[in-house]
Every structure is written in C-alpha cells, then in structure tokens.
Amino acid sequence: MRLGIDLGGTKIEIIALDDSGRELLRCRVPTPRDNYEATLQVIVQLVHDAEAELGLRGSVGIGTPGALSRATGRLKNSNSVVLNGQSIQQDLESLLQRKVAISNDANCFALSEATDGAAAGAAVVFGVILGTGVGAGIVVNGHVLTGPNGIAGEWGHNPLPWPDAHELPGPQCYCGKQGCIETFLSGPGMMRLHERETGVALSAEEIVVRAEQGDAACELSLQTYENRLARSIAHVINILDPDVVVLGGGMSNIERLYANVPKIWGRWVFSDRVDTRLVKHQFGDSSGVRGAAWL
Ligand SMILES: [Zn+2]
C-alpha cells in the first residue's frame, strides 16, 4: 500500500492507493496554523489512523510547496513559511520509523499524471501547473527528475521567450524580476493583462465565456494567451523534448488550449515537425496527493 500526503497551507490530505492505483481511503484535515510540531503530529496521526483502518502498513510520500535542499536536508522556497528551514524529512522518518519521500506539488502532479493519468506510459513528461502561480515538474521513465538545487522544472520564473516589444520589460513579479512566465500565464496574470488592455476586469472563466459569445477583445486576450503559452512550451521542447506536456491548475480547464497551442508551437520549436502531445490532466485536484503516494 502507498500513502500519499498533500501538505498545504490550509489543509493536509492523505490518500491510500493499492499497487494498481485504486483509491482505498482518503481523508482531509485543516493544517495547524503556524506550528511545525503540531503539523508533524497531524501527519503522524493521519498515517497511523489510515493504517489502523486498512490493517496495512504503507510507504509514505509527501507533496508540499518548496524543495528539499540537498546541501542541508532542510525545506526551502515553501509558501508555508513555518516549514522553511525545517528538517521535515528527517523528523518524519524518525517519527514514523520508515523512509519518507518528499517532493514539491508540481513534481507530484507530473508524477501522478505520468504514472496512471493523462501521460501514462510516456517516457518523458513535462507537467505544468497553470494556477495562481506557474510551476512545472519533470518525470523521466516514471521517476521525478531532481537536481543538485532541487528545482528541476521550475520554469515559471524564467522570462517569457521570444517577447515582442510591448511585452518588455513585462509585469513585475513577486520574485523580484520582471516579465516572468508566471506573470503572463497564471490566472491572475492573464486577468491583469486583459484589464490593462481593455479596462475591463474579468475572471479567466468570464473571458473564455465572452470569447465564445463573440467578444472580440476577449478572443484577442485568449489568442494572446495561447501564443505566449505556445512560446513558453516550445522553449522547453527545445531543451527537454518531452513526449507529453500535461497541463493542470485552473487555466488548464480552458479546453481550446489543447487544439490551438499545438497548432502554433511549431513556429518556435527547432524541428520540422513536433510530435509532442499536449494533454489535459486526468486527476485534477487529486494529482498532488496521488503523486505523493507514487513518490
Ligand atoms: Zn518571477
């Protein structure tokens, strides 16, 4: 049995999967506020309760924002700041008396979709989350690609590639730079850019609906979004050459992306043809916790 835990800022979720990926149990509790020790205790309790209920012992994987530093073994870059600087893997291994795997939520998303989701069977998978932020993870032959810095796939804070003049220098990003991919492709980024162009504040969903109804400004915003996404992914294809690019996060629910982006990404891919597939996630919000179980 495999236990996966999605450790978020507001809730902690556990899932139990059998070896075929069938869900045996799932439970969700609030994350203790600003309390590392209490967070550890909640995770331990969830594991023990799941094992008692199922009568099985499981492997444990945890998905959380941030990355484990190879140099120090401590978590960094997490937006749950109480976790930063903590030796969470070591602490949980001693509390649970077993190995604990930890990876970030984008990696878990990519692993879930590559294992038994929309990219099942593909050798090289680039899993992209287009949500309030933009992140990505890389899975090669069923394993998350990590690196000495623990940031493989972190592409949201690279600059938008092949910018035209009016895209420069680009919106200010919280990371301190300007023109990051995230500032163009996140949900809030798209809303801000549409508002700047048109003076009308609409959610991404509203922009999609109005474009379908023939609103020319909304249609233009969506085409611009598709063009930027195509450029951003083409840049990755030129480096990684993945078999499948799978999209998750709120913006991945824009169905037209899957037809329109592959129609144009060949303009920037250094190849006479592009056989990479662009697909929508299969597990949606469950990908994080499922991927943690597969770690
Ligand atoms: Zn940035």
Side-chain angles (χ1 to χ4, degrees), residues 132-155:
T132 50
V134 170
I138 300 167
V139 172
V140 179
N141 296 326
H143 297 282
V144 172
L145 187 71
T146 55
N149 306 297
I151 58 165
E154 285 293 349
W155 141 99

Side-chain angles (χ1 to χ4, degrees), residues 190-191 202-211 250-251 253-254:
M190 188 214 194
M191 286 170 59
L202 296 174
S203 69
E205 292 90 343
E206 288 169 317
I207 293 170
V208 172
V209 168
R210 292 197 188 192
M251 302 298 281
N253 295 315
I254 302 175

Side-chain angles (χ1 to χ4, degrees), residues 5 7 12 39-47 62 92 96:
I5 292 161
L7 172 54
I12 303 174
T39 300
L40 292 182
Q41 288 309 320
V42 167
I43 292 171
V44 169
Q45 194 65 46
L46 283 171
V47 169
I62 298 186
L92 283 171
L96 289 166

Side-chain angles (χ1 to χ4, degrees), residues 157 173 175 180:
H157 298 277
C173 186
C175 75
C180 293

